[in-house]
Amino acid sequence: MSAPPPTARRARRLGWPQRVFSQVLLMQLAIATGVTVLATGLFLAPLSAQLDDQAMRRALAIAQSTAAEPHLTESLLTTAPSPTGPVQTAAERVRRATGAEYVVVMDRRGVRWSHTDADEIGRVVSTDPSDALAGRNVMEIDSGTLGRSARGKVPLRDEAQHIVGAVSVGIAYDSVRARLLAAIPGLFAYAGGALAVGAVAAYLISRRLQRQTHDLAFSDISALLTEREAMLHGIREGVVALDRTGRIRLLNDEAQRLLGLGPDAAGRPLDAVLGAGRTADVLAGRVLGDDLLTVRGTRVLLVNRMPTDDGGAVATLRDRTELEHLGRELDSTRGLIDALRAQDHEHANRMHTLLGLLELDMHEDAMEYVTEIVGVQRSTAEQVTEKVHDPLLAALLVGKATVAAERGVALRMAPGAPLPDRLVDPRGLVTVVGNLVDNALDAAAGADGALVEVGLRAEGRTVVLRVRDSGPGVPAGQRESIFTEGWSTKEIPAHGRRGLGLALVRRLAERQGGGVTVDGAADGGAEFTVVLPEALAAPELTEPETTESETAGTRASGTGPDMTESNIGIAGEAQ
């Protein structure tokens, strides 16, 4: 799905860019600028207060040092205020040494004994000195005769620690403001550098985002997401998206139906959701190839897997259950047609033989010939119905016996007690028997003395099925892999693939709590054993008794060509 052409994007409003790249870049630049301005302002606000505090503390320290002069108190008490007096001389020396704006020494009345302006000596100070004269240190920013300044005031004590005056030192506030203004260019330089780095980082991130979003606009992304949701949930193929760790990122409705999962499977590991098996191996990429077959429950699925750039993968699932059934019905129909063609040919030969006997007036020989033919067919049906009382399964075996005879294979029932007509799932057992018998016929056909033996017996409510053939057998190293979906030694048919029959046999057996195994037969062939617990319904105590001969006669009367043909199709559905 492609993005709209550039001309369509230019046609939109020009005030705000539509592309994700441009919008993200502008937003990041705006955020970086705002953060820089805010940080600068937050730094400047306490810087001004800090410079004021430093100036006041400096003034206080100068005042304390001046008050500690040993001869200053004596000069204050023994001389009069004068521009040339010892107090003025000492104060001016301190002022010049420290760079203060003024150093004022006053007595307890607040009269100045020193000042930068000699005319102010002998006058009362312009600000209230009561706190300092009360013995407290004072730090403040205030305005006086020399303008606004940062001030420090301390009491002046004699040797007996009596307060005889105070010392006030001021530092020009213009110098404090000058320090603040001098710091601003450097601060702005740092802020500009940080802003430049942030802008470059924002540009690089936006360029990466541009490549990842293919330079789409937000509206295009929203439309693509809407269309993707509609497409994924509307198509009739299952779609499963996995991340690089094997977790399910996306699962559309059809995939949930085919895999038998719920919407809560998204976000969970694939193996934890599906469990061990071929389906999980195919979806996880542990089995490679195109159009891989797998069986999930009763469904035959065709899986294709495509890796993605981020290390994940997207797998598509197609339901081939009905197609496989149709293909196998076609195979069964072709086999039935071949059998009927052979029967028609054999029937024509028999009719010609009978006609010849009648034309030669060999009536007794003709009667014996007809009796022999009918007896062979009747004995086959009777042998099956004596051992199998379920009509569906008996019809299948009679039909398979006919097909086996045409292929030169003898199909017989193993000795043992008959299987009662109490099957819980006769169609499932027909599928199992049909698959195993067909495989046995394929393995045994074409050899002298070809034989397939079918044994069905009941052990309580458990049905045990054994199918033995005189074919080449199954090698010991392959006796487990033959039950894997897609494994087959036969030629691929016209409708697609093989390798599902034995997998379905195992799946049906395991679904009923049983299992299937394969071993070597005594005569060198293969022997498959299927155990199906709870396959028989509990016997009804009120069931009317029926003699074995009546049952056999009823079964034999129902094993005509119509039943045989229909059930051959049933067995072929899951081969």
Side-chain angles (χ1 to χ4, degrees), residues 4-334:
T7 54
R9 290 200 297 268
R10 288 195 215 100
R12 297 171 182 163
R13 66 179 187 272
L14 300 177
W16 181 254
Q18 295 297 310
R19 293 184 302 169
V20 176
F21 159 72
S22 302
Q23 289 193 27
V24 171
L25 179 59
L26 288 179
M27 287 188 290
Q28 287 181 324
L29 289 176
I31 292 173
T33 303
V35 170
T36 302
V37 171
L38 179 62
T40 303
L42 293 176
F43 182 79
L44 285 176
L47 178 61
S48 176
Q50 184 180 7
L51 292 176
D52 290 347
D53 184 71
Q54 289 178 354
M56 290 186 293
R57 290 184 181 278
R58 181 185 172 203
L60 182 64
I62 296 173
Q64 290 173 338
S65 299
T66 303
E69 286 285 336
H71 303 291
L72 185 63
T73 302
E74 182 180 356
S75 299
L76 178 66
L77 295 175
T78 59
T79 62
S82 170
T84 58
V87 176
Q88 170 70 2
T89 302
E92 284 298 302
R93 183 177 69 252
V94 172
R95 183 185 68 81
R96 289 192 295 269
T98 59
E101 184 178 18
Y102 64 84
V103 177
V104 174
V105 179
M106 68 191 78
D107 59 14
R108 289 190 60 84
R109 298 171 300 168
V111 176
R112 301 187 185 97
W113 287 62
S114 66
H115 196 276
T116 305
D117 185 0
D119 295 337
E120 296 294 331
I121 297 175
R123 297 180 181 179
V124 178
V125 295
S126 59
T127 57
D128 184 13
S130 58
D131 288 340
L133 294 175
R136 293 187 292 270
N137 294 334
V138 177
M139 291 191 306
E140 61 182 1
I141 295 178
D142 202 355
S143 298
T145 57
L146 297 178
R148 191 171 180 81
S149 61
R151 301 181 178 188
K153 299 178 182 180
V154 297
L156 183 62
R157 301 176 187 270
D158 59 11
E159 294 180 355
Q161 296 300 312
H162 296 143
I163 298 175
V164 297
V167 177
S168 176
V169 176
I171 295 177
Y173 196 72
D174 290 340
S175 63
V176 178
R177 188 183 310 162
R179 290 180 61 192
L180 177 63
L181 295 177
I184 290 178
L187 181 61
F188 281 171
Y190 285 117
L195 181 61
V197 172
V200 172
Y203 177 77
L204 295 177
I205 294 174
S206 300
R207 288 291 297 177
R208 177 180 175 82
L209 185 62
Q210 181 184 28
R211 292 192 298 270
Q212 291 180 340
T213 59
H214 302 285
D215 201 20
L216 293 175
F218 277 109
S219 58
D220 300 331
I221 294 178
S222 177
L224 287 174
L225 289 175
T226 303
E227 294 168 2
R228 189 201 71 163
E229 290 298 315
M231 178 182 67
L232 287 178
H233 295 289
I235 60 176
R236 300 304 298 169
E237 286 192 4
V239 178
V240 180
L242 306 173
D243 62 13
R244 66 177 63 193
T245 64
R247 291 183 178 272
I248 299 176
R249 288 191 297 194
L250 183 143
L251 195 72
N252 72 343
D253 297 340
E254 184 66 7
Q256 295 176 24
R257 184 183 71 86
L258 295 178
L259 296 176
L261 303 176
D264 58 339
R268 299 174 57 191
L270 179 68
D271 292 333
V273 172
L274 296 181
R278 178 175 170 84
T279 303
D281 292 339
V282 170
L283 292 178
R286 292 187 288 268
V287 178
L288 302 178
D290 297 329
D291 293 339
L292 296 174
L293 281 175
T294 183
V295 177
R296 178 71 177 175
T298 59
R299 298 187 181 279
V300 179
L301 305 179
L302 190 68
V303 182
N304 282 286
R305 187 178 187 275
M306 178 65 67
T308 56
D309 294 338
D310 60 354
V314 175
T316 58
L317 311 172
R318 281 181 284 170
D319 190 356
R320 286 182 59 94
T321 306
E322 295 183 1
L323 183 60
E324 290 293 330
H325 286 179
L326 291 175
R328 277 153 177 71
E329 286 183 0
L330 177 61
D331 286 347
S332 298
T333 303
R334 287 177 177 174

Side-chain angles (χ1 to χ4, degrees), residues 390-414:
D390 182 79
L392 198 63
L393 189 56
L396 169 72
L397 290 173
V398 170
K400 294 298 182 183
T402 303
V403 175
E406 297 300 333
R407 299 182 64 178
V409 180
L411 190 150
R412 72 186 184 193
M413 301 298 297

